[in-house]
Amino acid sequence: MEVSSIIRTSTPCSSPTSNYTFSSSLCQSPIKIDIKHPKFRNPKPQRFRIFAVAVDPQQELPRNSPQRLLKELAERKKVTSPKKRAPPKRYILRPPLDDKKLAERFLNSPQLSLKSFPLLSSCLPSSRLNNADKTWMDEYLLEAKQALGYPLEPSESLGEDNPAKQFDTLLYLAFQHPSCERAKARHVKSGHSRLLFLGQYVLEFAFCEYFLQRYPRESPAPMRERVYGLIGKKNLAKWIKAASLQNLIFPYDDMDKLVRKEREPPVKFVFWALFGAIYLCYGMPEVYRVLFEVFGMDPDDEDCQPKLRRQLEDVDYVSAEFEGKKLSWQEVASYKPPADSLFEHPRLFRACVPPGMHRFRGNIWDYESRPQVMRALGYPLPSNDRIPDITEARNIELGLGLQLCFLHPSKHKFEHPRFCYERLEYLGQRIQDLVMAERLLMKHLDAPGLWLQERHRRILMNKFCGRYLRAKYLHRFIIYSEQVQDAYEHNRRLRNPATTAVQQALHGLSYAIYGKRDVRRLMFEVFDFEQIQPKAV
């Protein structure tokens, strides 16, 4: 076989070692290169003699041939490296567990251990704590409990009928934010995210109840600004430092030297999860105690005051409980309604429904629309009152509250600022958020908090809330002023926010009169919130 060869002979040099000869098995004649004098001395171009003969492709290439090596490498690449990249392991579908293993996994999970406290049970970790978890608890838990003002004894020593028995476990989960070491464990990460999902709505609802009773004449806008001034993410680091909890969240860093994007997310996650754990084990009064005693929040502080705005003059009077004084958090937290009370939360009802609503008794809406609204909502609920007059009085107040729920601000607000549904709407937003969060936690035991948050947001979108009310044809009973009625007549986009507000006000009224159980009934039986209703074609 003959292959191509290129021959160049350089000018002889004085030194015999300056000429190097490279020989190859492919070429019979040597190639000589002068490396000391790379430029041609003769300005005339050198003549190259090229001999080329085609190689038969059927003949096998020599063993050391570069063409053969490249060909083998190309064939090897075809086999070993496919064109498509393999998906990450977390996206590869695993074979499903058989029925026996699945049953054992659920039955051994702590989430099914407390039958008497289903919500608390749903927030426990999906598997039992291991030695690494116990190590953290032995090292840091006593410090956390001492800072929050709880007894240092292990909570496992409490009775089975006491929800605080699980407080140590939930308190441990509350501090395992996504940036810490233990957050990589699946049961810890999921448990922490579920707690913070619940805790954010617990905090919002606690301040809603407190400010509605503390400021009975205010509209919800200043209240929202007060809440943001107290528990906005910019201010949470201040409260964590006031309670000396920063070393548990940042054990290896100085919180004050961290930039905001590194400091605020862990503080926010721990703060929310902490109040989720306190609410599950001790209830709402303990939430108020930790907020105002441990963290030292002051609603009269200058940093959380709302911005100045033009305030409508409120000529109507308020209930005697609120006249001339501001309720403290102790009065709100320790309040127990009297035995012969008309409502489940009487003071909250009086804070949202002004006494002047009695002047609307016997008007056209009361005669024509109220019976249809009560029939659609299943009111009045059956009750076992000792005295029939109590039942009658409750039903009268219920009718006035329903009329207030359908009273658009355009009708009477400029003469009487509280003759509209705004305060009930604010209460209804917060209670429906909390009820929906509790429902999702108990319904989806294996879901992480991020998934629950997205599900929660999609179900309670404003456009769906208004659609639930319109599906019951209750939007026809909203009371508008004449001018707004003409503007809304042919403009659905202006009309829809009012239907959403009325639907949320109904939940606030049902909570004040009948309690949380009636909010669940309205949301999941009457309006069927979990069924996203498509538009009719």
Side-chain angles (χ1 to χ4, degrees):
M1 179 179 66
E2 185 177 358
V3 295
S4 61
S5 56
I6 301 173
I7 303 173
R8 179 196 174 231
T9 307
S10 63
T11 308
C13 188
S14 58
S15 175
T17 58
S18 62
N19 290 338
Y20 291 88
T21 302
F22 297 89
S23 61
S24 171
S25 60
L26 302 177
C27 184
Q28 298 297 327
S29 57
I31 299 176
K32 297 181 181 179
I33 301 175
D34 184 6
I35 43 181
K36 267 196 173 183
H37 309 281
K39 292 184 180 179
F40 299 120
R41 294 180 180 176
N42 189 1
K44 294 182 181 180
Q46 300 289 329
R47 291 185 179 182
F48 295 93
R49 301 172 61 195
I50 301 175
F51 305 93
V53 179
V55 179
D56 187 1
Q58 306 235 338
Q59 282 186 345
E60 189 176 358
L61 294 170
R63 189 165 186 179
N64 294 335
S65 169
Q67 289 87 350
R68 176 172 177 170
L69 294 175
L70 289 173
K71 186 177 179 182
E72 289 181 0
L73 185 60
E75 290 178 356
R76 189 177 301 172
K77 277 187 177 179
K78 287 181 183 179
V79 178
T80 57
S81 47
K83 291 182 181 179
K84 294 183 180 180
R85 295 179 60 186
K89 290 184 179 179
R90 58 182 174 175
Y91 295 128
I92 296 177
L93 295 178
R94 297 177 180 176
L97 296 174
D98 58 351
D99 294 342
K100 185 178 180 181
K101 288 184 178 179
L102 194 61
E104 286 180 359
R105 176 182 166 190
F106 274 100
L107 291 176
N108 293 331
S109 170
Q111 290 181 330
L112 295 181
S113 60
L114 302 177
K115 295 181 181 178
S116 54
F117 305 108
L119 179 62
L120 171 60
S121 182
S122 68
C123 291
L124 292 175
S126 55
S127 59
R128 302 192 182 278
L129 300 182
N130 53 33
N131 291 332
D133 303 323
K134 298 289 175 84
T135 303
W136 192 97
M137 295 172 71
D138 294 340
E139 188 172 354
Y140 297 108
L141 201 61
L142 291 180
E143 183 180 349
K145 293 172 80 171
Q146 186 175 12
L148 295 170
Y150 291 104
L152 304 182
E153 293 78 15
S155 64
E156 285 81 3
S157 59
L158 299 174
E160 291 291 337
D161 57 344
N162 191 343
K165 182 181 178 68
Q166 310 296 329
F167 184 62
D168 284 3
T169 302
L170 295 183
L171 190 60
Y172 161 68
L173 292 177
F175 282 96
Q176 308 311 307
H177 56 88
S179 303
C180 68
E181 298 175 358
R182 290 301 302 147
K184 296 179 181 178
R186 182 178 178 273
H187 65 287
V188 175
K189 183 178 181 180
S190 178
H192 172 81
S193 62
R194 290 167 71 88
L195 274 181
L196 71 90
F197 166 66
L198 176 65
Q200 58 180 319
Y201 300 116
V202 169
L203 284 169
E204 291 279 353
F205 181 67
F207 278 112
C208 169
E209 271 196 310
Y210 175 56
F211 284 136
L212 279 172
Q213 298 176 57
R214 183 177 173 87
Y215 304 103
R217 293 182 183 272
E218 270 191 5
S219 65
M223 296 184 204
R224 295 176 194 271
E225 291 177 13
R226 294 177 193 274
V227 173
Y228 180 76
L230 286 174
I231 57 170
K233 65 179 182 179
K234 295 180 181 178
N235 302 315
L236 292 184
K238 177 177 68 174
W239 306 124
I240 288 292
K241 192 172 182 180
S244 302
L245 294 173
Q246 70 273 15
N247 292 332
L248 300 179
I249 304 176
F250 305 103
Y252 308 112
D253 299 302
D254 185 359
M255 184 177 71
D256 297 330
K257 294 182 179 179
L258 295 174
V259 296
R260 278 182 54 186
K261 66 179 181 180
E262 294 177 357
R263 179 180 66 241
E264 285 180 359
V267 168
K268 180 182 69 172
F269 292 156
V270 171
F271 195 84
W272 287 356
L274 186 61
F275 282 97
I278 293 172
Y279 171 73
L280 290 172
C281 293
Y282 295 103
M284 195 61 77
E286 186 66 14
V287 170
Y288 286 116
R289 184 195 73 82
V290 175
L291 280 173
F292 293 104
E293 277 193 359
V294 176
F295 292 109
M297 295 189 181
D298 182 12
D300 293 326
D301 190 45
E302 292 183 1
D303 295 338
C304 65
Q305 296 309 307
K307 62 183 179 182
L308 294 176
R309 50 170 56 82
R310 187 174 64 88
Q311 194 74 23
L312 295 172
E313 185 183 359
D314 192 355
V315 297
D316 199 15
Y317 57 92
V318 295
S319 180
E321 297 176 90
F322 311 116
E323 193 65 57
K325 65 173 182 177
K326 289 182 179 179
L327 297 182
S328 64
W329 72 266
Q330 291 94 338
E331 293 174 296
V332 174
S334 61
Y335 176 72
K336 292 184 179 179
D340 57 347
S341 164
L342 295 178
F343 315 116
E344 189 77 17
H345 302 279
R347 197 157 65 184
L348 201 55
F349 178 87
R350 299 297 177 198
C352 295
V353 181
M357 277 302 295
H358 277 273
R359 74 185 67 175
F360 292 103
R361 286 186 63 189
N363 63 1
I364 296 177
W365 194 95
D366 197 24
Y367 274 111
E368 292 184 353
S369 303
R370 182 180 57 81
Q372 301 180 56
V373 172
M374 295 183 75
R375 195 179 308 116
L377 299 178
Y379 286 140
L381 297 183
S383 56
N384 300 322
D385 295 314
R386 295 181 293 104
I387 307 173
D389 293 343
I390 293 180
T391 306
E392 184 182 355
R394 181 187 298 111
N395 293 342
I396 291 173
E397 299 279 3
L398 173 62
L400 294 174
L402 286 174
Q403 188 169 174
L404 185 63
C405 287
F406 285 86
L407 202 56
H408 192 266
S410 62
K411 187 65 176 174
H412 297 293
K413 183 176 180 180
F414 289 99
E415 299 85 18
H416 302 280
R418 285 179 292 133
F419 284 180
C420 64
Y421 52 60
E422 284 185 346
R423 289 171 68 88
L424 282 174
E425 176 197 4
Y426 180 41
L427 176 62
Q429 285 176 347
R430 297 297 167 245
I431 189 59
Q432 83 175 17
D433 281 345
L434 183 57
V435 167
M436 194 74 232
E438 293 177 355
R439 171 87 166 192
L440 291 175
L441 282 169
M442 290 187 285
K443 188 174 181 180
H444 305 282
L445 291 179
D446 218 18
L450 188 62
W451 186 90
L452 294 174
Q453 183 69 54
E454 183 65 19
R455 177 84 174 159
H456 185 280
R457 188 187 68 84
R458 289 181 178 276
I459 292 177
L460 295 184
M461 289 178 74
N462 284 343
K463 65 176 183 179
F464 292 135
C465 292
R467 190 183 299 173
Y468 300 142
L469 187 86
R470 296 192 294 272
K472 296 290 181 183
Y473 299 102
L474 295 177
H475 59 287
R476 301 174 297 157
F477 304 115
I478 302 178
I479 308 167
Y480 302 102
S481 67
E482 290 76 10
Q483 182 180 0
V484 171
Q485 180 77 46
D486 296 340
Y488 284 10
E489 191 70 32
H490 303 293
N491 194 324
R492 178 180 58 81
R493 293 198 174 189
L494 290 176
R495 215 167 41 232
N496 283 359
T499 60
T500 300
V502 169
Q503 184 270 331
Q504 292 169 342
L506 289 173
H507 290 158
L509 179 71
S510 69
Y511 174 74
I513 294 182
Y514 291 110
K516 198 185 286 186
R517 58 186 174 86
D518 192 50
V519 180
R520 295 191 193 100
R521 183 187 68 86
L522 283 183
M523 289 180 67
F524 306 120
E525 296 179 19
V526 176
F527 293 117
D528 194 14
F529 259 51
E530 291 180 307
Q531 178 64 43
I532 305 297
Q533 301 170 0
K535 290 184 179 180
V537 180

